[in-house]
Amino acid sequence: MSTPKTPGPRLPEKPLRPPTIARRTPAAEPPAGTASVLDRLRAAQPRAAAPRDDHPSGPGGGTGFGDLRVREAGSSGAASRDDRSSGARAGWNRGSSPDGIGGAGSSDRLRIAAEKASAAADATYRAARRGSTAAARHVGTWDQDIVRQIVVTLCAMACIVGSAAGVGAFGGPSIRDAAGGLFAPDATLLAPSSSAFSIWSVIYAGLMAYTVFQWLPSQRRTERQRRLGWIVAASMLLNVAWILCAQAGLLTLSLVVIMLLFFTLLTAVRTMNDHPAETRLEGALVDTPLGLYLGWVLVAAAANAGAVLTAGGVDLFGWGGRGWAILGIVAVLMTAAVICSTDRGRLAVAAATSWGLLWIAVERLLGQPFAVNVAFVAALAIFLLLITAGSRRHRVDHAYRRWLRAQEDAQREPIDLTGDDYEESRY
């Protein structure tokens, strides 16, 4: 309601006499028209400024009119605050009740929060997928041949570090002392002498030579290196894994690892047979180290199997340790003979296998346990293996020479048997 322009009579600011507070007596309600007139008069009356504290109090300990208005305002403000606090408490009570309006709002807020979390997870998944796709595309742009060369180099370095750990260079037990001494020369009948392990120096030197050779520009993109590089890298990692298993005393796991290593090197030899070396240098730096590697691993696998059977006390069919040792040597001979009968005759495989069998024979004659029959079978296996590899090389080389002679004869001019030259050559 707006204030009229003529506010009416002005009331004095100070009362002429102290106001008296009389008790309210119930009165009859005024007529409708009178109530509206009184409301307009109250609205038209201007509000007086709040009195200061220095206003005099009424006689008899009464209070001034301004003080009374302040108290009334304070009481009304307190009442309004009480109403608000009670309303808030009521609203809180309604919100805490499961069936109230606040319960519905809480479920809505939880639903909205779940939707936001789901949207954030979806956005994170899409971002990760885009990142992985971009990374895969970036990796796809790399030169696979250079990646292969780097991997082979890193595996060769790991193999050298693993060999140092195998001899106890980093404080751990050596292979001879690992697994309770079951890899020692006197532990089983198939364990070679300690001097036999010096072949590892030749094998590691050959692997380093192969690693350097495969970095040559002429070898980077050859089909032979592309197929052979990953296999050689895997064999180096398996070699390190075998050393760790042997040092940890895990005999059964070490046998599984060395068998995997043997089949990996067997795959490498098959690859070399499918893609022969083009030069003698390649044959010396690739075929020879891997052949030595395979031949020695074959003997080491037999020794590892003997250690596992000895640790388990296995004696199948009651044949005894010597019977099983002879059977193991025969199995090594037959496997190596089959390998050496491929290509031109893998002399490197025959040489490494013969080296291991030689030191088995020496240890059985000069060391413990003493077994003459095992030493004899090992020496006989060496002779047969060298004969097999040598005969294969002779047959292949002889066939190659015959092919060359046939090529030369095909390029010669035919001789006219009816001519004068032939008649003169007869006399």
Side-chain angles (χ1 to χ4, degrees):
M1 182 183 296
S2 61
T3 305
K5 295 181 180 180
T6 57
R10 183 180 181 82
L11 298 179
E13 295 180 358
K14 294 182 180 181
L16 298 177
R17 62 178 180 274
T20 59
I21 302 174
R23 296 180 179 178
R24 295 182 180 179
T25 57
E29 293 182 2
T34 307
S36 61
V37 172
L38 290 177
D39 292 336
R40 287 198 300 269
L41 289 175
R42 288 194 190 99
Q45 182 181 359
R47 297 180 181 179
R52 297 182 180 179
D53 294 340
D54 55 355
H55 287 172
S57 301
T63 58
F65 179 73
D67 193 11
L68 179 61
R69 291 175 58 188
V70 170
R71 290 186 179 182
E72 289 178 354
S75 63
S76 64
S80 64
R81 287 194 298 273
D82 293 341
D83 293 339
R84 288 194 299 270
S85 62
S86 63
R89 287 194 297 272
W92 182 83
N93 291 331
R94 289 193 301 269
S96 61
S97 63
D99 297 333
I101 300 175
S106 299
S107 62
D108 292 340
R109 287 193 297 272
L110 291 176
R111 179 178 56 79
I112 294 173
E115 291 177 355
K116 291 182 179 179
S118 177
D122 190 19
T124 304
Y125 170 74
R126 288 196 300 269
R129 186 173 180 180
R130 288 194 299 268
S132 61
T133 304
R137 291 177 180 174
H138 180 65
V139 172
T141 59
W142 295 354
D143 192 341
Q144 298 299 321
D145 295 322
I146 296 179
V147 173
R148 184 198 68 247
Q149 291 174 325
I150 294 175
V151 170
V152 171
T153 304
L154 294 177
C155 292
M157 296 173 62
C159 190
I160 295 299
V161 175
S163 66
V167 297
F170 301 112
S174 62
I175 299 298
R176 177 176 178 174
D177 300 330
L182 287 173
F183 292 106
D186 56 351
T188 63
L189 292 172
L190 289 178
S193 177
S194 299
S195 302
F197 293 93
S198 60
I199 194 175
W200 277 118
S201 301
V202 181
I203 293 174
Y204 287 138
L207 291 177
M208 292 299 103
Y210 165 77
T211 303
V212 175
F213 179 77
Q214 56 107 29
W215 274 102
L216 296 178
S218 60
Q219 300 297 319
R220 175 173 297 175
R221 307 190 188 282
T222 60
E223 188 65 22
R224 193 184 203 220
Q225 295 300 329
R226 285 178 175 175
R227 294 181 178 272
L228 196 61
W230 298 107
I231 301 175
V232 176
S235 68
M236 294 177 183
L237 292 181
L238 288 172
N239 186 16
V240 176
W242 181 85
I243 292 174
L244 296 178
C245 292
Q247 287 185 329
L250 304 174
L251 289 177
T252 305
L253 185 59
S254 66
L255 179 60
V256 173
V257 172
I258 201 169
M259 292 305 297
L260 290 176
L261 176 58
F262 169 73
F263 286 113
T264 302
L265 292 174
L266 199 62
T267 306
V269 171
R270 182 177 180 179
T271 303
M272 290 188 295
N273 292 337
D274 295 338
H275 303 275
E278 297 180 357
T279 61
R280 291 185 177 180
L281 178 63
E282 183 178 359
L285 298 181
V286 178
D287 295 38
T288 301
L290 295 180
L292 294 175
Y293 197 4
L294 175 59
W296 175 250
V297 166
L298 178 59
V299 177
N304 199 342
V308 172
L309 295 177
T310 302
V314 179
D315 186 12
L316 297 177
F317 309 112
W319 290 355
R322 297 189 178 186
W324 282 105
I326 293 174
L327 183 62
I329 293 175
V330 172
V332 170
L333 170 63
M334 295 179 63
T335 305
V338 172
I339 298 172
C340 294
S341 297
T342 61
D343 197 57
R344 293 180 59 214
R346 294 289 174 183
L347 295 180
V349 177
T353 306
S354 300
W355 175 266
L357 293 175
L358 174 63
W359 286 106
I360 290 176
V362 170
E363 188 66 23
R364 298 290 74 82
L365 288 176
L366 304 179
Q368 295 295 331
F370 181 77
V372 179
N373 51 358
V374 175
F376 174 77
V377 173
L380 181 61
I382 294 172
F383 173 76
L384 295 176
L385 183 59
L386 293 178
I387 290 297
T388 301
S391 62
R392 172 68 180 181
R393 175 65 62 92
H394 174 72
R395 290 196 305 269
V396 172
D397 289 348
H398 182 66
Y400 179 70
R401 287 192 295 268
R402 290 180 60 185
W403 178 81
L404 288 179
R405 190 178 298 112
Q407 294 293 326
E408 292 176 357
D409 292 341
Q411 294 177 359
R412 292 176 181 174
E413 295 182 359
I415 300 176
D416 188 6
L417 299 179
T418 60
D420 297 338
D421 296 336
Y422 177 73
E423 295 294 337
E424 293 178 357
S425 62
R426 295 177 59 185
Y427 301 101

